[in-house]
Amino acid sequence: MGNTVSCCVSPEESPKLPRQPVDRNEDYQIITDVSDDTGPYLQHISDREVPDELAQESNPSDHARASTIFLCKSQTDSELRDKRKSNHINHGSHTSPGPLSKKYSSCSTIFIDDSTVSQPNLKSTIKCVTLAIYYHIKNRDSGRSLDIFDEKMHPLSREQVPDNYSVMDPEHKLIYRFVRTLFSAAQLTAECAIVTLVYLERLLTYAEIDICPCNWKRIVLGAILLASKVWDDQAVWNVDYCQILKDITVEDMNEMERHFLELLQFNINVPASVYAKYYFDLRSLAEDNNLLFPLEPLSNERAQKLEAISRLCEDKYKDLSRAAMRRSFSADNLVGIRRSNAVLS
């Protein structure tokens, strides 16, 4: 049995080929690729199915250090640069143009929003995600698309698609209304909206296509469909979306979902670091476009809730640290250890 080669064995670790000696002066990452010398090394599915060229480019939907695509496209927008310039001039000028739209904390009042990385505000998050999609469409590189996402070939409604549907960029309000309708009818969460954007950018990178006026609805629908099934405990079935979009068939939904997964190479994993990066980049996008999260004065009741949450997290980390100290002790950890009192008889 030891000589049987499995289909999951990587070619570099084939038992038929002699192994190359490992240089101990190389990086530690090379050494960790081999689990032991007793058998062949089995790659993880994500290591085998993600192409090498994508790993080298540091796809933002897979790597937390890479910059998100939507934020880069928004920063190159000329209208946004002019808006930033006007905001800077109004903020720096001594003459007040009117009442301030942004609230600032003082010694007596603290303003905070109700959006956190673990529980984002639903309405504000949908606005930011749809704004990111808007900049994707507006500042697209080209018009690369696939037939499965073409709205002319696979319409979502019985209304006739206009002839100039492939060149007319949709407004942000139209994208927001489309996404908000799906989220409201399916009762999806704000976290699902962030995962939707992650899958959308992963699709654009893996399939090497662009989100255009002719395909943005079906791409967004496919990303929402997949994100709702992966993220939410009680996923919405494809037939439920057919109740929201009356003119689409279940067969069309199933085919689009299958193509979406194949183009993603079945990589639906979203690391926590990638999720957090997209959340904070969406907040940066909101600030650049004056989409402020709703601020409310910090009340005594909410302050007590925040204190209780922080105390709970602090106790959790203390328990983890105690468990780690029980496993192994070092000279650095000997300072805070409690000793039992000696019993004198």
Side-chain angles (χ1 to χ4, degrees):
M1 295 179 62
N3 295 329
T4 302
V5 181
S6 174
C7 62
C8 296
V9 179
S10 61
E12 291 81 5
E13 296 297 330
S14 176
K16 296 181 180 180
L17 300 177
R19 288 186 176 179
Q20 298 295 331
V22 180
D23 188 5
R24 298 299 179 181
N25 295 328
E26 293 180 356
D27 294 338
Y28 180 73
Q29 296 179 352
I30 300 179
I31 300 177
T32 56
D33 287 342
V34 181
S35 59
D36 52 24
D37 295 333
T38 59
Y41 168 63
L42 300 180
Q43 284 184 316
H44 191 269
I45 185 172
S46 61
D47 298 332
R48 289 187 284 110
E49 293 187 352
V50 177
D52 296 336
E53 58 268 15
L54 293 181
Q56 295 176 0
E57 293 175 0
S58 296
N59 183 12
S61 62
D62 294 323
H63 305 276
R65 295 185 178 181
S67 301
T68 53
I69 303 176
F70 72 87
L71 192 61
C72 297
K73 289 184 177 294
S74 65
Q75 292 174 351
T76 58
D77 191 83
S78 58
E79 294 182 2
L80 183 59
R81 288 199 302 266
D82 296 339
K83 187 183 299 183
R84 287 179 181 173
K85 185 176 180 181
S86 62
N87 292 339
H88 178 73
I89 294 176
N90 294 333
H91 182 74
S93 60
H94 297 285
T95 60
S96 177
L100 294 177
S101 59
K102 186 176 181 180
K103 300 178 181 179
Y104 295 91
S105 301
S106 62
C107 297
S108 58
T109 307
I110 299 178
F111 291 97
I112 59 174
D113 58 63
D114 60 345
S115 180
T116 60
V117 67
S118 59
Q119 294 180 348
N121 181 273
L122 178 59
K123 183 177 180 180
S124 301
T125 303
I126 293 179
K127 283 186 177 181
C128 295
V129 170
T130 52
L131 185 61
I133 298 173
Y134 167 78
Y135 281 117
H136 264 290
I137 301 174
K138 182 179 180 181
N139 300 324
R140 58 188 180 275
D141 298 331
S142 60
R144 300 170 297 178
S145 182
L146 296 174
D147 294 342
I148 189 61
F149 299 121
D150 196 305
E151 193 175 353
K152 187 76 170 180
M153 303 178 64
H154 302 275
L156 297 179
S157 63
R158 296 180 181 178
E159 298 179 0
Q160 185 178 3
V161 180
D163 297 333
N164 59 347
Y165 77 106
S166 59
V167 295
M168 293 292 295
D169 292 345
E171 297 181 357
H172 177 225
K173 294 181 179 180
L174 179 61
I175 304 175
Y176 172 74
R177 193 180 302 114
F178 177 78
V179 176
R180 184 192 61 183
T181 302
L182 294 176
F183 270 73
S184 177
Q187 298 181 357
L188 302 178
T189 60
E191 296 90 343
C192 184
I194 299 177
V195 177
T196 297
L197 185 59
V198 175
Y199 287 157
L200 188 147
E201 292 201 344
R202 186 174 294 175
L203 174 72
L204 300 182
T205 307
Y206 280 25
E208 296 182 353
I209 62 176
D210 298 287
I211 183 168
C212 314
C214 64
N215 62 9
W216 71 269
K217 284 187 178 181
R218 292 182 62 86
I219 289 180
V220 171
L221 177 60
I224 293 176
L225 174 66
L226 187 59
S228 62
K229 291 185 177 181
V230 173
W231 185 264
D232 290 343
D233 295 334
Q234 296 179 351
V236 183
W237 290 16
N238 293 1
V239 67
D240 297 329
Y241 286 99
C242 297
Q243 300 296 329
I244 303 173
L245 304 171
K246 301 294 184 180
D247 301 327
I248 193 172
T249 61
V250 182
E251 292 77 13
D252 188 15
M253 295 284 294
N254 296 339
E255 183 183 3
M256 182 177 60
E257 181 185 6
R258 184 175 65 254
H259 279 79
F260 206 106
L261 281 171
E262 291 176 355
L263 292 173
L264 290 185
Q265 302 173 14
F266 299 93
N267 181 16
I268 58 176
N269 179 40
V270 179
S273 56
V274 172
Y275 172 87
K277 176 188 65 176
Y278 272 78
Y279 169 79
F280 288 109
D281 283 357
L282 286 173
R283 290 194 67 113
S284 300
L285 181 67
E287 184 176 359
D288 294 338
N289 290 268
N290 294 330
L291 294 179
L292 302 179
F293 286 74
L295 297 176
E296 296 180 358
L298 180 62
S299 60
N300 295 332
E301 181 181 359
R302 192 171 183 189
Q304 293 176 359
K305 290 182 179 180
L306 292 176
E307 185 179 1
I309 294 175
S310 62
R311 189 183 300 111
L312 181 63
C313 295
E314 184 179 359
D315 295 340
K316 180 179 179 181
Y317 289 128
K318 284 183 179 179
D319 296 338
L320 293 176
S321 61
R322 290 172 183 171
M325 290 179 63
R326 282 196 296 267
R327 286 195 297 266
S328 62
F329 288 95
S330 63
D332 298 334
N333 296 329
L334 292 177
V335 179
I337 300 178
R338 293 183 179 181
R339 301 292 183 181
S340 58
N341 298 327
V343 179
L344 301 179
S345 57

